[in-house]
Amino acid sequence: TVRTATRRAHQLPRAATTAPRRPKITTPRRSFLALPQGEALPVVGGLIGANCLVYGAWQVVDPRVMTRHFTLSNDDVLQYPHTLVTSFFSHASGWHLLGNMVTLFFFGPEAIGALGAARFLAVYGGAGLVANSAQLATNAYANMRRDPYFRTRSPRCLGASGAVNAAVAYGCLLNPWRMIIVFAEFLPLPLPALLYGGAFLAKDLGALFDVHIPYVSDRAHGIAHGAHVGGTLV
């Protein structure tokens, strides 16, 4: 009968009547203060350790040696091409080091979970090189716009911000609607990651092109805005 045939159809194994489901791509979740897990632990720990080691060298090695080999300048990059890499492991200020390493600690593991350790390191290193190249171009353009009489030596740049910004941008694009807590005048302000990432990029773009964006633009002097933008866009 029709009823019996219908009942038998429902009793068929599900594997024979349904198509295989594609596995969902997920990234490992961790609590706010948890240590990185799996392959993220040695990668993030190694990068933080390398940056801290160079910071320690700044405290004991002749500053002239550190400046020559761990800062980037248009004036001598051809003579010391290794500074394209060493400068983005270099911090002379403890606060500069702390800010970059805390950011890497929170955003790095998520990017490693999605990309894998090898691809993340390729992105991190590539972002550092692109960031430094962008800053060299920014310095050259700024000097070219000056009257020849007022042209100066290129400023020296250092810091992991460009490379770290790539991890921040990737994390914001990976989960654009998650909430990120931003402290505005010491008050916690929750923002969607997409809005946070946009403001993160706009603060440097505004300063780079001398456009003031209220509550966003970064007007501090001595900031390598070209490197920040270059790393973020990677």
Side-chain angles (χ1 to χ4, degrees):
T1 64
V2 175
R3 182 177 301 174
T4 302
T6 304
R7 183 180 303 171
R8 288 177 180 174
H10 286 304
Q11 292 173 352
L12 290 175
R14 294 185 62 85
T17 59
T18 58
R21 297 181 179 179
R22 300 176 66 180
K24 294 182 178 180
I25 299 176
T26 58
T27 55
R29 295 179 178 273
R30 65 189 184 111
S31 62
F32 186 67
L33 292 177
L35 287 174
Q37 302 295 319
E39 61 183 355
L41 180 59
V43 173
V44 173
L47 289 173
I48 291 176
N51 280 272
C52 290
L53 187 64
V54 176
Y55 173 72
W58 273 101
Q59 314 310 309
V60 296
V61 177
D62 187 338
R64 293 171 295 182
V65 174
M66 295 301 296
T67 299
R68 186 180 305 121
H69 294 288
F70 286 90
T71 65
L72 182 70
S73 171
N74 294 59
D75 299 325
D76 55 18
V77 66
L78 294 180
Q79 184 179 359
Y80 304 109
H82 56 276
T83 57
L84 281 166
V85 175
T86 58
S87 62
F88 65 79
F89 286 92
S90 180
H91 302 79
S93 161
W95 287 111
H96 190 197
L97 173 70
L98 180 64
N100 279 335
M101 295 305 100
V102 167
T103 304
L104 177 63
F105 176 85
F106 287 119
F107 284 92
E110 184 177 33
I112 295 169
L115 293 171
R119 290 178 64 188
F120 171 79
L121 287 172
V123 170
Y124 185 91
L129 289 172
V130 170
N132 279 346
S133 300
Q135 188 57 42
L136 290 175
T138 300
N139 293 343
Y141 178 71
N143 219 17
M144 184 179 66
R145 292 182 60 190
R146 298 188 181 101
D147 185 279
Y149 182 80
F150 294 102
R151 288 177 185 173
T152 61
R153 291 180 60 84
S154 170
R156 292 193 167 272
C157 307
L158 73 170
S161 301
V164 172
N165 280 9
V168 175
Y170 190 87
C172 291
L173 293 175
L174 194 63
N175 293 302
W177 303 116
R178 69 170 175 179
M179 302 305 290
I180 295 178
I181 304 298
V182 178
F183 287 90
E185 300 296 338
F186 302 102
L187 297 176
L189 177 65
L191 292 176
L194 192 63
L195 181 58
Y196 170 80
F200 192 81
L201 178 60
K203 74 179 179 65
D204 287 302
L205 281 174
L208 193 61
F209 294 104
D210 200 25
V211 176
H212 179 60
I213 305 173
Y215 307 106
V216 172
S217 293
D218 189 347
R219 292 282 180 167
H221 293 287
I223 305 298
H225 297 291
H228 289 183
V229 172
T232 302
L233 294 179
V234 168

